[in-house]
Amino acid sequence: MEKIITTAVALLLAIASYGQTAKQVLDKTAAVVAAKSGAKASFSMRGEQFNTSGTIAIKGRKFHAATPQATVWFDGKTQWTYLKKNEEVNVANPSEAELATINPYNFIYMYQKGYKYTMEKKNGSFIVHLTATGKRSIQEMYITVNQKTYIPSQIRMRQQKSWTTITISGFKQSKLSDGMFRFNSKDFPNAEVIDLR
């Protein structure tokens, strides 16, 4: 009897997993990524004109990313980009497309409107394919998500004819303070601040 119940539960879980839509997978992924306390991960980013890696911390729409070339803070409205080579900080209010190329997790807000979805399963992952339904700066995305944890491992996105691939590793939820998402001029006393807003 116990074996029958165990088999029935396993079968129901398999059916529930199989029956998920691409949007349901992205909704669950967004819930994991957008934890209220925050999360951290490592990433590598490759495109036609760049190849870099670094770390990212996120909390809701806020993020802090650090690479060997630059450090970026975004508090949900304002973005500060510190360029190490030039010792300068550019201050801006970025668009969704600009945020998508800087913050690999910005897709958790973008997918909700303006895209149609398809999905396949491969090697223990969901691969969700998003295609823009109208004029969008990011026309197409592929998001690879672990079937058990709903943690994304790769995001590929196309702007015009150019593809960018972001690979994510070491994702873990963390308790992060809001202060880490704002630039502090005391930490960079020699940096020139350029306001582009």
Side-chain angles (χ1 to χ4, degrees):
M1 182 68 169
E2 188 177 318
K3 191 173 184 179
I4 293 171
I5 292 172
T6 304
T7 304
V9 169
L11 184 61
L12 286 172
L13 288 173
I15 290 168
S17 172
Y18 184 78
Q20 291 185 95
T21 66
K23 184 172 185 318
Q24 287 170 327
V25 168
L26 291 178
D27 287 344
K28 288 180 181 180
T29 302
V32 169
V33 171
K36 289 184 181 180
S37 61
K40 292 182 176 182
S42 297
F43 70 91
S44 64
M45 190 180 302
R46 286 189 336 266
E48 288 180 10
Q49 298 177 356
F50 60 89
N51 186 358
T52 191
S53 60
T55 58
I56 189 164
I58 56 172
K59 186 177 182 182
R61 292 191 71 87
K62 303 175 183 130
F63 72 90
H64 173 267
T67 70
Q69 300 83 13
T71 304
V72 181
W73 299 261
F74 180 68
D75 67 359
K77 180 184 176 188
T78 304
Q79 177 180 298
W80 297 265
T81 305
Y82 171 66
L83 304 170
K84 295 178 183 178
K85 184 172 76 171
N86 302 348
E87 276 278 327
E88 71 181 35
V89 177
N90 294 316
V91 185
N93 292 334
S95 67
E96 286 295 322
E98 291 167 331
L99 286 172
T101 59
I102 299 164
N103 177 2
Y105 292 113
N106 199 55
F107 77 86
I108 65 172
Y109 302 104
M110 293 176 61
Y111 80 91
Q112 296 171 356
K113 60 181 179 178
Y115 290 93
K116 62 181 181 178
Y117 326 97
T118 59
M119 182 176 68
E120 67 174 297
K121 292 180 181 182
K122 188 175 181 182
N123 300 328
S125 294
F126 297 111
I127 301 172
V128 182
H129 181 206
L130 286 78
T131 308
T133 55
K135 189 173 181 180
R136 303 287 299 235
S137 59
I138 296 176
Q139 286 294 302
E140 196 174 1
M141 279 190 281
Y142 288 91
I143 302 167
T144 304
V145 177
N146 182 292
Q147 284 183 14
K148 292 180 182 174
T149 64
Y150 291 93
I151 294 173
S153 60
Q154 187 179 79
I155 299 149
R156 291 181 61 230
M157 58 187 141
R158 179 175 62 85
Q159 290 181 280
Q160 296 173 353
K161 294 182 181 179
S162 177
W163 284 92
T164 299
T165 301
I166 302 165
T167 304
I168 302 158
S169 61
F171 179 92
K172 64 178 182 176
Q173 293 183 340
S174 305
K175 191 168 186 172
L176 306 175
S177 72
D178 289 338
M180 85 176 297
F181 304 103
R182 294 185 60 82
F183 171 73
N184 186 343
S185 58
K186 292 177 184 173
D187 296 335
F188 301 88
N190 299 324
E192 178 187 1
V193 177
I194 302 167
D195 198 329
L196 303 172
R197 290 172 292 184

